[in-house]
Amino acid sequence: MFRSVSARNVRTAVRSFSGAQALQRRCASTKTLRETLQEVVPAKQEALKKLRAEHGSAVVGDIKVENIIGGMRGLKSMLWEASVLDPNEGIRFHGLSIPDCQGKLPAAPGGKEILPESMLWLLLTGQIPTEAQVRQLSAELAEQGELPAHIEKLVDSLPTTLHPMTQLAIGVASMNHDSKFQAAYEKGMKKSEYWSVMLEDCMSLIAKLPALAARIYRNVYKPELPAPKVDKNLDLIGNYAAMLGYGDNKDMTEYLRLYIAIHGDHEGGNASAHTAHLVGSTLSDPFISYSAALCALAGPLHGLANQEVLRWQMTMQKELGNEITHDNIKDYLWRTLKSGQVVPGYGHGVLRSPDPRFTALLQFCETRPDLMASPAVQLVKQTFEVAPAVLKEHGKTKNPYPNVDAASGCVLYHYGLTQFKYYTVIFGVSRALGALTQLVWARAFGLPIERPKSVSIAELQKLIK
Ligand code: CMX
């Protein structure tokens, strides 16, 4: 349980909270994640209270008819602390770009890539953890990483023909059997206690996702793998890689760490994060909230695009055979567009430049000769050399550049994880970092149930007049 925070602690924390950037100093203490958060929460609660009191009626935007019928693009309408997406620069996590994070966030022992535990710490607290803090967090997660027997039984009973994302959503939803938040709510928990109990559930879910995701992989594709077992000495993704059968492949393990760290959050308005936020606002526990988010992630215009990219590329490779030239890729792109389909992995609801997550994944390849020689990676690079010009000429998409999904699958494919229907599950393991940490904040801020106003065409016409 969390100890109470004194008024003095609150004042100290408020003083230290002078804008998000201030929180990025490396915290020299050996405080645990919970202890760190206990200090940060009151400060931010105060900041939000002040903002509401002093500027509650300030106007920060207009609503146009095209926003209402255009998927609410550009409407500033939800609070999300972990990251902000700039259309040209891309994502910043508490002010840090991906290269900043690569330079500052602790990696695994002997590794170089961002450790997802470091990203989790940053997203949740706004602070950069020390190596010791991250190791402690890895150990805490491994400690609660095993699946309850009833979840194993449930997942093992699902037909192997059921899409892995559906299996993941079922498994995650069923974990609410043991939700502390739900149990405490039933007992009459006070609103001020919500966030700390929510934190316990969220950490439990993040800890168990690798074992659940690995079990689905084994059941569907690799029954010869041993039943997933969490090694208490490994970090979250060291464990995930091992349970997927890649424990001996250091490069694949590092790739998964990078992949999972940088897919973790993409501000709050994307479909998966927003779904978790919306469902959580009804005070659903984080298991069913995140299960709903996974259903949003499983759509081909969102997370499932990484599966679609590989499928599209495999068909292109089959059609073009050994004739993979810029001209032939261009023709193939036009054929896709003229048949009325989207080019998967390209375009974005907010971004208007190449996605820095795409760039980071390609840079990972550039440091490894085996990946540079891989036909799957080469195809991604060659497509990138041609597609933006084709999409510009086509003239529909506002962003002719690649998003993260254009590159995320090719490395997995190269290392032998060729079952691309599984790729979105890995995205699902990652997105929990952002969506769940922000559920903790939503409850800490006491945000209300979401309830925007909808309008009919007749109502809109009246409003326009
Ligand atoms: N290929 C072909 N046409 C595209 C396109 C693409 N990659 N991206 C957008 N368009 C089209 C849209 O379908 C839309 O056409 P209509 O006017 O006929 O409906 C038009 O261009 C304008 O769309 P937009 O404003 O540029 O893009 P949206 O904000 O509506 O949609 C997205 C964004 C990502 C859904 C869209 O770009 C897309 O479908 N991309 C391909 C799928 C994909 O890669 N999704 C993953 C995104 C990242 C993620 O969430 O994981």
Side-chain angles (χ1 to χ4, degrees):
M1 237 22 221
F2 295 84
R3 65 186 159 78
S4 66
V5 183
S6 70
R8 192 158 160 244
N9 272 352
V10 174
R11 279 197 302 277
T12 315
V14 171
R15 267 203 305 278
S16 72
F17 176 69
S18 54
Q21 312 299 328
L23 292 173
Q24 286 164 18
R25 73 201 185 285
R26 188 178 288 271
C27 139
S29 76
T30 52
K31 290 194 175 83
T32 65
L33 186 67
R34 285 179 184 79
E35 288 163 348
T36 307
L37 202 55
Q38 262 184 315
E39 288 189 350
V40 178
V41 163
K44 283 223 179 191
Q45 284 173 329
E46 275 301 310
L48 188 67
K49 208 168 138 194
K50 193 162 176 274
L51 190 73
R52 184 192 288 239
E54 290 175 5
H55 304 289
S57 53
V59 176
V60 293
D62 298 318
I63 304 174
K64 298 197 180 96
V65 172
E66 65 183 19
N67 299 134
I68 296 171
I69 57 182
M72 298 190 278
R73 284 304 172 288
L75 282 189
K76 295 181 183 72
S77 52
M78 68 188 287
L79 189 69
W80 194 266
E81 282 297 284
S83 65
V84 175
L85 183 58
D86 178 87
N88 296 308
E89 267 199 336
I91 194 69
R92 280 186 181 268
F93 309 103
H94 283 282
L96 296 181
S97 66
I98 290 173
D100 292 338
C101 289
Q102 286 172 317
K104 292 183 179 184
L105 291 180
K112 265 179 67 184
E113 302 302 336
I114 306 166
L115 199 62
E117 287 89 330
S118 305
M119 182 59 83
L120 168 59
W121 192 293
L122 174 67
L123 295 177
L124 191 54
T125 67
Q127 296 184 358
I128 297 168
T130 63
E131 233 179 86
Q133 287 174 317
V134 167
R135 303 285 170 257
Q136 187 184 15
L137 177 58
S138 291
E140 277 176 29
L141 292 172
E143 200 53 51
Q144 43 179 335
E146 293 289 354
L147 293 178
H150 66 95
I151 301 289
E152 290 182 353
K153 207 167 149 197
L154 172 79
V155 173
D156 293 352
S157 74
L158 297 172
T160 55
T161 45
L162 188 62
H163 194 285
M165 277 303 278
T166 318
Q167 299 201 29
L168 187 67
I170 290 172
V172 168
S174 308
M175 283 188 208
N176 91 329
H177 181 273
D178 302 318
S179 168
K180 292 191 173 150
F181 186 85
Q182 198 189 75
Y185 189 83
E186 276 174 23
K187 283 192 189 141
M189 156 175 67
K190 282 192 270 178
K191 197 170 177 182
S192 58
E193 292 168 354
Y194 287 175
W195 74 263
S196 65
V197 187
M198 181 61 88
L199 177 66
E200 285 184 48
D201 270 0
C202 288
M203 290 302 120
S204 166
L205 175 51
I206 290 170
K208 291 175 178 62
L209 275 171
L212 174 62
R215 196 162 193 103
I216 293 167
Y217 181 69
R218 168 186 173 265
N219 286 351
V220 177
Y221 302 110
K222 291 269 168 110
E224 70 276 14
L225 282 177
K229 185 137 190 52
V230 175
D231 180 340
K232 302 269 159 65
N233 298 310
L234 289 179
D235 60 278
L236 193 71
I237 305 310
N239 257 313
Y240 187 28
M243 290 187 283
L244 288 173
Y246 286 92
D248 296 334
N249 187 333
K250 274 194 181 151
D251 282 344
M252 174 68 150
T253 307
E254 277 285 272
Y255 180 71
L256 285 171
R257 287 184 182 123
L258 174 67
Y259 178 123
I260 287 169
I262 67 177
H263 278 75
D265 199 46
H266 216 223
E267 70 172 32
N270 66 76
S272 52
H274 187 193
T275 303
H277 182 81
L278 166 66
V279 180
S281 81
T282 69
L283 298 188
S284 280
D285 64 68
F287 302 99
I288 39 178
S289 302
Y290 193 59
S291 173
L294 288 167
C295 295
L297 195 67
L301 296 188
H302 189 18
L304 205 79
N306 57 12
Q307 158 188 320
E308 292 306 292
V309 167
L310 253 288
R311 196 145 63 101
W312 180 79
Q313 281 194 345
M314 291 299 116
T315 318
M316 167 160 49
Q317 211 156 28
K318 218 178 194 173
E319 267 191 37
L320 303 187
N322 292 329
E323 302 295 314
I324 299 191
T325 62
H326 279 179
D327 282 346
N328 286 345
I329 296 175
K330 207 168 155 184
D331 287 346
Y332 187 76
L333 281 158
W334 276 114
R335 282 205 292 283
T336 302
L337 292 167
K338 284 181 180 160
S339 69
Q341 297 168 63
V342 295
V343 175
Y346 282 78
H348 199 270
V350 177
L351 283 168
R352 295 295 176 257
S353 296
D355 188 336
R357 299 173 299 173
F358 170 85
T359 311
L361 296 181
L362 272 197
Q363 278 167 353
F364 180 93
C365 299
E366 281 159 9
T367 57
R368 289 164 174 85
D370 62 320
L371 283 173
M372 288 313 283
S374 155
V377 176
Q378 278 305 318
L379 201 54
V380 168
K381 280 180 65 97
Q382 284 172 289
T383 305
F384 176 42
E385 281 152 15
V386 178
V390 171
L391 284 165
K392 273 184 207 166
E393 196 181 330
H394 182 244
K396 259 190 166 185
T397 175
K398 296 187 188 71
N399 174 35
Y401 300 107
N403 59 60
V404 68
D405 296 313
S408 59
C410 62
V411 176
L412 302 172
Y413 196 88
H414 172 75
Y415 286 133
L417 208 158
T418 55
Q419 303 88 356
F420 43 83
K421 275 195 174 178
Y422 184 76
Y423 290 179
T424 315
V425 170
I426 304 175
F427 197 161
V429 170
S430 166
R431 187 44 59 91
L433 302 180
L436 294 177
T437 54
Q438 298 317 292
L439 273 184
V440 175
W441 276 104
R443 301 291 73 80
F445 287 143
L447 298 183
I449 185 168
E450 255 195 18
R451 192 10 178 132
K453 176 89 183 82
S454 65
V455 283
S456 62
I457 294 179
E459 178 88 3
L460 261 187
Q461 283 164 340
K462 251 199 269 168
L463 286 168
I464 294 162
K465 275 185 195 152

